[in-house]
Amino acid sequence: MSKVSECPYAQSLEVQHMCTVKKGCDHGPAPIPEEGKWIQAKQITDISAYTHGVGWCAPQQGACKLSLNVKNGIIEEALVETIGCSGMTHSAAMAAEILPGKTLLEALNTDLVCDAINTAMRELFLQIVYGRSQSAFSEGGLVIGAGMEDLGKGERSMVGTMYGTKEKGVRYLEMTEGYCTRMALDENDEVIGYEFVSLGKMTDFIKKGMEPGEAYQKAMGTYGRFNDAAKYIDPRKE
């Protein structure tokens, strides 16, 4: 009969009378890549990474892209981008205030107001703790401010909104470049380009004192063979 162990936890009678078999190999957790280093993550403070997670709400009417910059287990920077649900924008405003300063574990167990944001936090957590991050092989990681840099000039999310029907075909409403104002069609009524206005640039011009009409024109651009079109249409009206 084995000597009763001194384990601080309650044990069944069967386990109490088992003999001890010593552990042979104990190599610890597999190393994960973090900011140019290989880390054996044993606690939350071992985690440093910058990455993204995408989440959705229960009725799947909206989605969230969450980007976090984590240093030594603490969230130093949060970028919350939402689409498809008007209420989610207000939830994102609260989440962006809640997240910075929390540990990853706190954030995972905090109500971030919206199902989609909570789901994004869960998906992002899994990527970070498994070493699948944007900064995995970036020595020293990414600076605080990387989230704003992701947005690019104008600090606006990259959004694409396209609509189509079998009878009437496709309509481009919003592209990465901005709000689509006209679509260019060839002689077969096929799309060959589009015109857009960058709302971020236009707003910046107006803030600097430019007249709205001039700012609108200056913020416009085209893509594809726009100038070769046989016909132009307003995607919202025609």
Side-chain angles (χ1 to χ4, degrees):
M1 184 179 293
S2 172
K3 178 183 176 182
V4 176
S5 70
E6 298 177 357
C7 177
Y9 307 110
Q11 300 177 340
S12 69
L13 187 63
E14 291 82 2
V15 171
Q16 290 180 40
H17 291 286
M18 285 180 180
C19 65
T20 299
V21 177
K22 292 186 177 180
K23 182 185 290 187
C25 59
D26 185 12
H27 305 305
I32 61 174
E34 283 188 11
E35 302 192 343
K37 298 180 293 184
W38 289 95
I39 301 293
Q40 284 188 310
K42 298 182 180 180
Q43 51 193 3
I44 289 296
T45 53
D46 293 330
I47 300 294
S48 294
Y50 178 87
T51 198
H52 321 276
V54 175
W56 52 94
C57 61
Q60 298 187 27
Q61 68 186 36
C64 167
K65 177 188 173 187
L66 177 63
S67 304
L68 298 184
N69 200 344
V70 180
K71 304 290 186 186
N72 301 314
I74 304 293
I75 297 170
E76 298 287 347
E77 176 186 17
L79 172 64
V80 191
E81 301 174 84
T82 65
I83 189 169
C85 172
S86 58
M88 198 188 298
T89 59
H90 297 78
S91 300
M94 296 178 69
E97 185 174 354
I98 290 168
L99 285 165
K102 286 190 177 294
T103 69
L104 269 178
L105 194 58
E106 282 181 299
L108 189 64
N109 288 283
T110 296
D111 182 4
L112 299 175
V113 190
C114 166
D115 283 350
I117 305 174
N118 285 320
T119 304
M121 182 66 222
R122 180 194 70 196
E123 298 299 310
L124 182 152
F125 179 87
L126 291 174
Q127 292 182 71
I128 286 182
V129 297
Y130 288 134
R132 273 71 168 179
S133 73
Q134 185 175 320
S135 58
F137 300 101
S138 302
E139 187 173 358
L142 303 185
V143 299
I144 310 303
M148 287 293 283
E149 291 175 359
D150 266 359
L151 292 176
K153 292 181 179 179
E155 286 78 41
R156 285 175 57 87
S157 296
M158 289 179 279
V159 178
T161 307
M162 311 299 153
Y163 177 74
T165 62
K166 179 181 176 182
E167 184 70 23
K168 300 297 183 179
V170 71
R171 297 296 186 275
Y172 297 174
L173 303 176
E174 186 100 15
M175 286 282 190
T176 296
E177 300 94 335
Y179 178 97
C180 292
T181 50
R182 287 190 295 169
M183 293 171 59
L185 309 182
D186 64 12
E187 58 277 3
N188 298 318
D189 287 336
E190 295 179 4
V191 182
I192 60 172
Y194 56 88
E195 178 186 68
F196 62 88
V197 57
S198 172
L199 299 178
K201 289 181 180 179
M202 184 179 75
T203 303
D204 286 341
F205 291 147
I206 293 172
K207 285 194 295 185
K208 292 177 181 177
M210 188 178 292
E211 288 298 316
E214 183 183 356
Y216 177 79
Q217 292 298 325
K218 190 172 181 179
M220 294 189 79
T222 63
Y223 184 86
R225 295 186 290 117
F226 185 81
N227 293 328
D228 299 332
K231 180 168 63 174
Y232 299 100
I233 64 169
D234 181 334
R236 292 168 176 81
K237 303 295 183 183
E238 299 177 72

